[in-house]
Amino acid sequence: MSISEERSRRYTFEPDQLTPVTNPEELKRIHEKTGMRPLPDDEQAWNITIDDLLEYYLKLLTVEGGGKWSDELLDACDAGEYTAGLIIALAACEGQGLKPDRQILRATLASPWCEEGCDADVIARHMLDAAAYPP
């Protein structure tokens, strides 16, 4: 389940390609001009990079999961197999009863490497279900 290079580039930015706008007045003008308002923090999960996602899962599996599946996840990361990495990470979390942070799960689902219907997608959606995360 690899992602095309063209699709990958649409979601990849280098630090020098982005200029954050932090001035509150400028942000206000942009919001008024466009009619767009920022999403709540937990819905801005797309800002998390695939490397950050996989690093989070690697730490979770290493610390909370006693290292089980962390070698497999590290191998996938090293090989650039991001889709496989997410599948390994989510399957390992599910298998060990580990609950990733809700924002991380949303970022996982928003990632272009978590294709709809793949195992990682199914597991992450299940984990976000009300039964997994009571209100």
Side-chain angles (χ1 to χ4, degrees):
M1 285 188 232
S2 64
I3 189 164
S4 72
E5 189 172 324
E6 175 191 338
R7 184 172 174 205
S8 172
R9 286 187 184 153
R10 287 190 301 171
Y11 297 99
T12 306
F13 299 95
E14 295 298 323
D16 62 334
Q17 293 175 302
L18 304 174
T19 305
V21 177
T22 56
N23 181 316
E25 291 302 314
E26 188 174 352
L27 286 171
K28 184 178 176 184
R29 282 193 302 275
I30 292 169
H31 295 159
E32 288 171 356
K33 180 179 178 181
T34 63
M36 302 295 288
R37 299 282 182 245
L39 295 171
D41 287 342
D42 65 342
E43 292 183 34
Q44 293 187 34
W46 60 270
N47 286 325
I48 300 173
T49 68
I50 187 68
D51 291 331
D52 291 338
L53 281 175
L54 292 172
E55 183 179 334
Y56 169 88
Y57 287 119
L58 186 60
K59 286 180 182 176
L60 182 65
L61 294 176
T62 302
V63 176
E64 300 292 326
K68 190 173 182 184
W69 293 102
S70 57
D71 288 341
E72 289 80 355
L73 178 55
L74 190 55
D75 289 344
C77 293
D78 290 343
E81 296 290 338
Y82 301 130
T83 298
L86 291 177
I87 292 170
I88 291 167
L90 271 292
C93 287
E94 184 181 51
Q96 296 178 73
L98 301 174
K99 289 168 104 174
D101 177 79
R102 186 185 308 238
Q103 184 174 2
I104 293 294
L105 287 173
R106 287 192 174 125
T108 300
L109 290 168
S111 170
W113 287 275
C114 186
E115 297 172 349
E116 189 173 339
C118 77
D119 289 343
D121 176 70
V122 171
I123 295 168
R125 290 182 191 284
H126 171 72
M127 287 181 171
L128 279 174
D129 189 354
Y133 283 94

